[in-house]
Amino acid sequence: MSALILIELNGSEVSANSRAALTAALQLSDSVDALVLTNDSANASAAASMSGINTVKTIVDDSLEHANVEVASKLIADVMSDYKFLVSGSSTYSKNILPRVGALLDVQPISDVCKIKSSNTFVRPLYAGNVMATVETADDTIVMTVRATAFEHAEDGGSAALEALSPAMPESNSTFISLQESQSERPELTTAERIVSGGRGLGSKDNFAMIEQLADKLDAAVGASRAAVDAGFISNDYQVGQTGKVVAPKLYLAVGISGAIQHLAGMKDSQVIVVINNDPDAPMSRMADIVWQVDLFDALNELNAYQV
Amino acid sequence: MKIIIPVKRVLDPYTQARVNKQTQQVDLSNAKMAMNPFCEIAVEEALTLKESGAATETIAVSIGTDKTVDTLRTALAMGVDRAIFIKTDSELDLQPLHVGKILANIIQREEAQLIIMGKQAVDNDNNQTGQILSGLLDYSLGTFISKFDLNSDSNSVEVSREIDSGIETRKLNLPAIVTVDLRLNEPRYASLPNIMKARSKPLETIELSSLGIDTSPRIKVVSVEESGTKDRASKQISSAEELFTELNQMGVL
Ligand SMILES: Cc1cc2nc3c(=O)[nH]c(=O)nc-3n(C[C@H](O)[C@H](O)[C@H](O)COP(=O)(O)OP(=O)(O)OC[C@H]3O[C@@H](n4cnc5c(N)ncnc54)[C@H](O)[C@@H]3O)c2cc1C
Ligand SMILES: Nc1ncnc2c1ncn2[C@@H]1O[C@H](COP(=O)(O)O)[C@@H](O)[C@H]1O
């Protein structure tokens, strides 16, 4: 009944997604191993220091730096012969790979698990989180992604055994060309304690800098609505929502965002929600703890000038 | 190059889902339905390829009950050449693994080189079917794409993928499956004349039972509950000072 978690690295660090996956896996099994697919064997040690893992298995190959999904899914499916559970965080990394592993194992994967009720019964969101479903799987092997906002992030403090695997590398019919990575000195969106998020109301990319300025003042991450991303105010990886990132910070400050179902899906579990909007009827206001009904430019100027 | 576009009929994305407590299912009777928005984007991309001369034929495929035909008619009205309707009975609760197996069957029959589909159906939010399909067929896979180009060798495509850390660009050898993200294109509306014309375009119906695919459910939905956003008791403020004072008191700064 042992579980395997797929480790997702941020550079040489273990991602918050993988830390949540470990917490979830430990609820399913007291024997949890981890798998790291990487181009650099040194990366295994970060995973090994998380508390609760027995063995970190590593497959090292140059091609694994930018996980090629055809290769990764085959490698993982082969390792799965020793495990009942495969758990990974709900990131684009895992969402790309895990369903393909499911196909190779003839298993129906379960996406975005928010709660583990028993070893085969889970709670997951449907309809942009407006409905929560309790689902029971009949599969012998269980493959799932878990929401990082729904499980604690496992801490360091362990020293797992390391095991290098050296399977033959599968054939691949795709090649990596480039990665245009977003660089930011600010806290990472999905793990930040505070988020300042801007919407279409900002009107332009130049104006959006006022959101960034406020974020820096509050030591917060920057977020955005789809409309703001579509309009080119900021890049896609800042989108919060049903089809973007899911966040649950202590403070979510929404500026010029109306509060469409799809946006709320990504932030409704935030602890304190502040809304700055000049429309008293914006749906966003109904779920706010604090509402400032005002022209957002006046509010941002005042906030950015305010001496804390 | 033949393109297949799997499309799904879903609850209109701007409509609030309601649960029927008796049946423990989302109540879709009388609900406004629509083509999954990601599937509209997939259709648009296929049509653009056809118009550029790169594709020979575009075929929309949908699996579902009788009403699913409406969604296929929408695809035909947008401009796809023909449609394949896989008819299921209303009780059947299909999951992405089943959908993948059914689509794999049709794709092999049609010998399609390129499959363009939604990254996610906004009803069950699974985000799995394209990935599963690629595993079943052992085709190359490009998920969450925001840019698509057919290479001049006509044997491969270049795609940009929206991933958590930015944008990744890959080359996929054909046959390939791509799942589309929101920013790939702006889907067109069907014009009235095209809606009329769509009525006479070919639409083939295949009974799911005739395909001999095991569709016994792997996952059973035990119960569902509404968990829409809860209204909060909101406090009105009117200055930066007030905001900072409140946030300090709440201990979130
Ligand atoms: C399939 C699908 C998936 C989607 N996924 C997502 C997703 O993941 N995330 C997401 O965010 N959206 C998503 N959307 C889009 C969503 O439906 C909305 O269109 C979007 O969230 C709107 O963004 P917005 O609130 O910034 O813009 P708008 O709805 O246009 O709201 C702008 C707000 O700014 C206010 N405003 C304007 N000017 C001022 C001013 N000067 N001062 C104060 N207030 C001002 C207005 O009152 C308004 O409330 C999705 C849609 C679909 C169909
Ligand atoms: N019943 C269906 N019929 C046709 N295509 C489907 C069906 N279900 C899912 N798909 C396709 O798979 C995509 C992703 O769906 P999902 O994996 O369920 O989120 C959709 O955007 C469609 O392109």
Side-chain angles (χ1 to χ4, degrees):
Chain A
M1 290 287 280
S2 46
L4 182 72
I5 61 169
L6 174 64
I7 298 288
E8 183 184 353
L9 296 163
N10 275 340
S12 59
E13 280 169 34
V14 177
S15 71
N17 278 307
S18 300
R19 294 183 181 275
L22 175 54
T23 302
L26 287 167
Q27 290 177 20
L28 292 164
S29 166
D30 44 26
S31 167
V32 177
D33 289 348
L35 178 65
V36 183
L37 305 180
T38 179
N39 62 327
D40 181 356
S41 58
N43 286 335
S45 56
S49 30
M50 277 197 294
S51 185
I53 302 176
N54 289 343
T55 302
V56 174
K57 300 187 170 178
T58 316
I59 302 176
V60 181
D61 191 271
D62 281 345
S63 70
L64 293 172
E65 183 179 5
H66 301 284
N68 175 323
V69 58
E70 298 96 19
V71 170
S73 54
K74 176 78 172 59
L75 293 172
I76 296 166
D78 289 345
V79 174
M80 277 306 290
S81 56
D82 295 332
Y83 298 93
K84 177 173 176 68
F85 302 100
L86 174 62
V87 185
S88 191
S90 293
S91 59
T92 52
Y93 177 80
S94 303
K95 285 176 174 175
N96 187 38
I97 299 172
L98 257 62
R100 188 160 160 138
V101 176
L104 300 182
L105 299 174
D106 195 31
V107 163
Q108 171 57 56
I110 305 168
S111 300
D112 292 321
V113 168
C114 289
K115 195 170 170 191
I116 295 171
K117 287 197 158 173
S118 76
S119 60
N120 69 348
T121 311
F122 312 102
V123 178
R124 65 171 300 262
L126 314 176
Y127 294 89
N130 285 301
V131 174
M132 297 302 286
T134 300
V135 300
E136 192 183 288
T137 171
D139 282 326
D140 291 330
T141 303
I142 298 175
V143 173
M144 66 168 99
T145 57
V146 303
R147 282 264 169 100
T149 47
F151 294 90
E152 299 273 322
H153 299 171
E155 306 270 347
D156 282 350
S159 56
L162 292 176
E163 183 184 336
L165 307 181
S166 34
M169 288 311 260
E171 291 279 315
S172 155
N173 33 19
S174 78
T175 29
F176 170 81
I177 295 178
S178 63
L179 176 63
Q180 200 184 312
E181 223 169 343
S182 282
Q183 303 289 355
S184 171
E185 302 291 303
R186 297 193 183 86
E188 205 271 315
L189 182 55
T190 53
T191 50
E193 293 206 332
R194 287 172 289 280
I195 296 173
V196 181
S197 206
R200 196 196 316 264
L202 267 299
S204 74
K205 189 175 170 146
D206 287 347
N207 293 341
F208 204 87
M210 297 168 82
I211 294 287
E212 290 159 5
Q213 197 186 338
L214 182 59
D216 289 340
K217 180 168 192 145
L218 301 178
D219 190 20
V222 169
S225 70
R226 173 191 172 184
V229 176
D230 285 0
F233 302 169
I234 192 157
S235 62
N236 63 284
D237 40 316
Y238 291 91
Q239 181 175 315
V240 171
Q242 180 185 20
T243 54
K245 288 179 178 164
V246 177
V247 300
K250 276 189 185 168
L251 171 65
Y252 191 86
L253 207 160
V255 186
I257 297 179
S258 62
I261 300 177
Q262 293 86 4
H263 189 79
L264 301 182
M267 46 64 68
K268 66 184 171 136
D269 294 330
S270 305
Q271 191 186 320
V272 173
I273 297 173
V274 178
V275 168
I276 295 178
N277 200 307
N278 59 7
D279 174 8
D281 297 324
M284 193 82 209
S285 305
R286 285 206 301 275
M287 55 175 318
D289 300 280
I290 300 177
V291 176
W292 188 356
Q293 191 198 320
V294 63
D295 184 276
L296 66 86
F297 297 107
D298 292 343
L300 286 173
N301 281 326
E302 196 179 322
L303 287 165
N304 283 329
Y306 186 77
Q307 303 287 332
V308 188
Chain B
M1 183 178 62
K2 225 189 224 185
I3 303 178
I4 285 189
I5 314 107
V7 296
K8 188 176 189 192
R9 180 174 180 266
V10 298
L11 178 69
D12 175 88
Y14 301 102
T15 306
Q16 187 87 32
R18 294 283 170 222
V19 164
N20 179 328
K21 292 217 169 69
Q22 228 111 60
T23 60
Q24 279 299 310
Q25 278 177 348
V26 173
D27 190 357
L28 297 177
S29 54
N30 305 319
K32 186 174 170 207
M33 304 296 282
M35 186 191 294
N36 180 38
F38 290 99
C39 299
E40 293 180 322
I41 297 170
V43 168
E44 176 64 39
E45 199 63 22
L47 294 176
T48 312
L49 282 165
K50 174 84 194 287
E51 285 156 2
S52 75
T56 49
E57 194 181 22
T58 54
I59 310 164
V61 181
S62 194
I63 306 156
T65 55
D66 284 322
K67 293 233 176 77
T68 303
V69 169
D70 297 348
T71 304
L72 288 170
R73 290 273 176 230
T74 305
L76 290 167
M78 285 174 77
V80 303
D81 299 315
R82 62 184 167 99
I84 302 175
F85 168 43
I86 316 291
K87 188 170 173 330
T88 66
D89 75 57
S90 63
E91 300 303 311
L92 202 61
D93 178 20
L94 283 179
Q95 289 144 20
L97 186 62
H98 305 127
V99 174
K101 288 178 181 177
I102 298 162
L103 292 174
N105 180 300
I106 302 299
I107 290 160
Q108 282 173 325
R109 192 192 78 169
E110 295 286 343
E111 297 180 349
Q113 286 290 97
L114 179 62
I115 321 303
I116 308 181
M117 52 203 293
K119 84 160 177 182
Q120 162 176 358
V122 297
D123 49 4
N124 291 330
D125 284 335
N126 276 313
N127 193 336
Q128 293 178 349
T129 307
Q131 297 88 314
I132 288 176
L133 183 58
S134 81
L136 295 172
L137 291 169
D138 198 19
Y139 282 12
S140 54
L141 171 67
T143 47
F144 328 139
I145 68 162
S146 57
K147 195 163 178 293
F148 178 97
D149 287 300
L150 187 66
N151 287 335
S152 53
D153 62 5
S154 292
N155 289 322
S156 62
V157 299
E158 195 169 304
V159 295
S160 295
R161 310 176 51 231
E162 291 196 356
I163 62 173
D164 288 342
S165 58
I167 304 266
E168 186 194 70
T169 303
R170 303 191 81 91
K171 182 179 128 188
L172 313 175
N173 295 337
L174 296 178
I177 293 168
V178 296
T179 77
V180 305
D181 217 316
L182 295 170
R183 279 166 282 276
L184 181 63
N185 60 44
E186 248 333 299
R188 69 194 67 187
Y189 291 100
S191 66
L192 198 56
N194 285 342
I195 293 173
M196 304 302 289
K197 257 206 322 227
R199 295 198 186 143
S200 55
K201 284 188 177 176
L203 190 152
E204 177 189 3
T205 301
I206 299 175
E207 292 284 342
L208 173 58
S209 51
S210 75
L211 296 178
I213 292 167
D214 175 12
T215 50
S216 47
R218 301 301 190 85
I219 289 178
K220 191 173 89 192
V221 177
V222 183
S223 63
V224 288
E225 63 176 330
E226 280 177 29
S227 73
T229 49
K230 286 169 201 65
D231 287 3
R232 301 186 184 193
S234 31
K235 178 169 176 140
Q236 301 281 338
I237 56 132
S238 57
S239 73
E241 177 163 18
E242 252 184 290
L243 182 58
F244 276 103
T245 309
E246 287 290 334
L247 295 179
N248 267 323
Q249 274 169 9
M250 290 170 152
V252 294
L253 284 186

